[in-house]
Amino acid sequence: MKRLPPGAMFRLAALGLGTLALVPLQMAALRLAPGRAGALPIRFHRLVCRCLGVRSRVRGNPPPPGVGALIVANHVSWLDISVIGAEQRLCFVAKSEVAGWPVVGFLASLQRTLYIDRQRRSATAGVAATMGERLAAGDDVVLFAEGTTGDGTRLLPFRSSLLGAAHQAMGDATSEVTVYPLAITYTGWQGLPGGRIERSELAWYGDTELWPHLKLVLERGGADVELVWGEPIVMGKTTSRKEATRLVESAVRQARREAVTGRPPE
């Protein structure tokens, strides 16, 4: 196996040492001051982006702190977690298999990730109840509505089931949930706009293994990503979860099209 260049090895070592320093602090925060446990993950994700050379451009307005927003985004790569997590305090909804992944599962649990077993329909209710508690407490929750990662160019259909479950968990039929669309687009390397090939390189999908993809990002460095926040959508009294899902997907598709082509919508 080809060894990493010295610069990439240094950045990987810096990431490892930084992680080892932050993990015990986060474990202590979860035990002694759970209300403040959202601050350290931001530092960790910023460390990840810095060490891997990921550079973000943000457009639009993210949810204000403390409103308890349901953030619905497309999913392209494992990098998405740190790209979003470096911006503000939040937690994620992930498939149950992630909890058992070495290292990754442990780190995800430290950020209070909500796990859902997609093979058990009854499990959705439990996750939705916890999601509702987090939203009611003013926490922002990120849901990747495609259910899996895409190839960096095409957008998969958004699923509406968890949006509906989140609304039901808030209480009665008159309750409302504010949904924030978020489009994630990896645009190229080193400030140079890329095409389908470059977007596919940055995507982590299909049977792609984690280490070869991480190695590529370390070796190339300077991955560019654009985050676009859409206008918030209030789901509840007048907007159903299916309609909210359609509106969110439309907003994300439009933002991604603009990011890929470099042209605003007509």
Side-chain angles (χ1 to χ4, degrees), residues 39-54:
L40 284 173
I42 296 178
R43 296 188 179 185
F44 169 73
H45 293 306
R46 288 176 179 173
L47 174 68
V48 171
C49 291
R50 185 176 182 84
C51 289
L52 298 184
V54 179

Side-chain angles (χ1 to χ4, degrees), residues 20 31 66 130 187 197 231 254 262 266:
L20 289 175
R31 178 180 293 272
T130 305
T187 56
I197 293 177
E231 292 296 322
Q254 180 174 300
E266 297 179 358

Side-chain angles (χ1 to χ4, degrees), residues 42 52 61 121 249-250:
I42 296 178
L52 298 184
N61 299 312
R121 294 178 63 90
E249 182 177 339
S250 176

Side-chain angles (χ1 to χ4, degrees), residues 24-253:
L25 295 177
Q26 178 66 1
M27 293 175 68
L30 287 171
R31 178 180 293 272
L32 302 176
R36 299 181 179 180
L40 284 173
I42 296 178
R43 296 188 179 185
F44 169 73
H45 293 306
R46 288 176 179 173
L47 174 68
V48 171
C49 291
R50 185 176 182 84
C51 289
L52 298 184
V54 179
R55 303 180 300 186
S56 300
R57 178 192 177 199
V58 182
R59 294 193 289 116
N61 299 312
V67 301
L70 181 61
I71 300 169
V72 180
N74 62 302
H75 200 8
V76 183
S77 170
W78 54 271
L79 284 169
D80 299 348
I81 307 300
S82 287
V83 168
I84 304 173
E87 296 298 322
Q88 62 193 82
R89 298 174 59 158
L90 39 75
C91 61
F92 295 88
V93 178
K95 58 184 181 181
S96 58
E97 295 91 327
V98 173
W101 291 356
V103 182
V104 173
F106 173 67
L107 294 175
S109 296
L110 284 180
Q111 194 167 350
R112 302 163 63 229
T113 295
L114 303 173
Y115 299 108
I116 182 167
D117 186 348
R118 291 181 295 183
Q119 304 302 317
R120 296 172 53 224
R121 294 178 63 90
S122 59
T124 303
V127 174
T130 305
M131 189 187 306
E133 293 172 1
R134 299 275 182 91
L135 292 170
D139 290 346
D140 294 341
V141 179
V142 179
L143 171 65
F144 294 115
E146 293 166 289
T148 186
T149 51
D151 63 2
T153 296
R154 294 172 296 178
L155 202 67
L156 303 175
F158 279 19
R159 302 178 179 182
S160 63
S161 57
L162 271 181
L163 273 77
H167 177 230
Q168 293 173 8
M170 293 299 292
D172 55 46
T174 63
S175 61
E176 295 180 329
V177 180
T178 304
V179 181
Y180 279 77
L182 176 61
I184 307 169
T185 308
Y186 292 87
T187 56
W189 302 94
Q190 303 288 352
L192 299 176
R196 186 180 295 269
I197 293 177
E198 286 76 16
R199 290 193 295 273
S200 179
E201 286 179 338
L202 282 160
W204 186 57
Y205 67 105
D207 297 327
T208 306
E209 296 183 0
L210 179 58
W211 169 245
H213 194 264
L214 171 60
K215 185 170 179 287
L216 172 67
V217 175
L218 278 165
E219 289 176 337
R220 294 287 296 272
D224 297 307
V225 58
E226 183 169 292
L227 299 177
V228 181
W229 294 96
E231 292 296 322
I233 298 164
V234 178
M235 178 177 62
K237 297 177 183 177
T238 58
T239 306
S240 68
R241 53 108 171 173
K242 289 188 176 181
E243 177 64 9
T245 303
R246 185 190 69 79
L247 292 172
V248 171
E249 182 177 339
S250 176
V252 171
R253 285 187 183 278

